[in-house]
Amino acid sequence: GCTRPGCDAPASMCAVHHITDWAKGGPTDLTNLTLACDHCHALVNDSADGWKTVVMGKDSPYRGRTGWIAPKRLDPTGTARVNDRHHVGQWVAAAIESSCQRWGSRAA
């Protein structure tokens, strides 16, 4: 689905977005493409109120995923954030791991 944090638009309501804008030399390769619904796609621009998209780096726990950077007025830190709403499998895995650690430490 849409990769902007907090958006729950499914993939069927999304279009392909170039993380590095095609008009600025961004390639049309899978590593530079992501999904964005029409509303969120329209938020990405170079104005002071525009959102930016980046590929999360090797040092990120979200390596290779799309990070969205909110405008300074919304997030002065400029922190890239990812959308976890469409990654339920990760939530389940984290919950299971947490539960195993909790019960494992009590049993010991």
Side-chain angles (χ1 to χ4, degrees):
C2 184
T3 55
R4 189 177 68 88
C7 186
D8 60 0
S12 60
M13 295 182 66
C14 293
V16 175
H17 165 69
H18 287 81
I19 297 169
T20 300
D21 193 359
W22 182 83
K24 295 178 183 173
T28 302
D29 296 335
L30 285 177
T31 56
N32 189 49
L33 301 175
T34 194
L35 293 176
C37 68
D38 287 346
H39 171 75
C40 295
H41 199 193
L43 296 173
V44 179
N45 62 70
D46 291 330
S47 75
D49 289 327
W51 287 69
K52 311 289 183 246
T53 53
V54 296
V55 175
M56 301 300 280
K58 321 182 230 192
D59 57 337
S60 169
Y62 304 106
R63 179 182 183 178
R65 287 183 51 194
T66 304
W68 287 67
I69 302 171
K72 292 280 186 210
R73 67 179 173 79
L74 297 177
D75 181 8
T77 68
T79 303
R81 302 180 193 284
V82 298
N83 187 352
D84 283 329
R85 290 185 182 236
H86 305 287
H87 293 267
V88 177
Q90 289 179 347
W91 293 2
V92 171
I96 291 170
E97 182 178 336
S98 174
S99 182
C100 288
Q101 289 174 352
R102 206 170 337 127
W103 288 105
S105 64
R106 286 185 181 172

